[in-house]
Amino acid sequence: MTVIALFTQTQAGSKPNPQREVILVSGGGIQSDIHEHRKTRSVVLMSTADLAKLELHPGDLREQITVDIPELMQLEVGSQIDINGNILEIDGDCDPCTHIGDLLEIEDKEAFRDTLLGHRGKLARVIHTTESARISIGDPVRVNTNS
C-alpha cells in the first residue's frame, strides 16, 4: 500500500493544490493546509478503491491524502495509518455534504451526496511524526488496527 496523491487547500471552497510532498504537524494536520491546526478531523484520507467506485479522481473530494487501501472505510476509530513512520489516527468517517457537489458542479447535489454515503473517506489527525515529518507520493503505508 502506498500514498497515491497529496493535496493542500489554502481556503475553504478552493481547488486542492497537488503536492509531491507534504510536512505533517504533530497534533494537527498538514503544514500550509487550511486544517493544519485542528486537533481532530484535520486530515481527510481517501481510498483509490472508493474513488474508482464513484468514478472520481484523486482530489475531487477535497481529501489531503489519497491511498490505495481498499478497506479504508472499514477501519474503526482509533485505527492508525503509518506512512513512513509518521502516524495518523482515524477520528471517524467524513460525512458527505452537498457543497462537494457544488464544488464539482454536479447538477443533482443531493443525489450525488447519497452516492458518497460510506465512500467519503476517513477523518484523521497526526499523532506522531518522524524528525522530518515529511510524506511523499509513493511512500509505503501500513494499517495498524485496534484488534
Side-chain angles (χ1 to χ4, degrees), residues 87-104:
I87 310 295
L88 290 88
E89 186 173 79
I90 302 294
D91 288 326
D93 290 350
C94 185
D95 294 326
C97 49
T98 54
H99 82 272
I100 290 289
D102 282 331
L103 296 171
L104 293 173

Side-chain angles (χ1 to χ4, degrees), residues 69-134:
I69 302 174
E71 72 281 2
L72 180 68
M73 290 308 297
Q74 283 71 52
L75 296 179
E76 296 180 14
V77 170
S79 297
Q80 296 179 350
I81 306 293
D82 179 331
I83 304 175
N84 243 8
N86 297 287
I87 310 295
L88 290 88
E89 186 173 79
I90 302 294
D91 288 326
D93 290 350
C94 185
D95 294 326
C97 49
T98 54
H99 82 272
I100 290 289
D102 282 331
L103 296 171
L104 293 173
E105 300 178 357
I106 304 287
E107 192 169 314
D108 189 343
K109 292 154 194 58
E110 200 56 48
F112 178 69
R113 187 186 73 77
D114 289 346
T115 67
L116 297 178
L117 292 171
H119 301 286
R120 177 60 181 90
K122 289 287 186 176
L123 297 164
R125 65 187 174 99
V126 179
I127 62 168
H128 171 79
T129 61
T130 61
E131 190 173 324
S132 73
R134 293 179 191 283

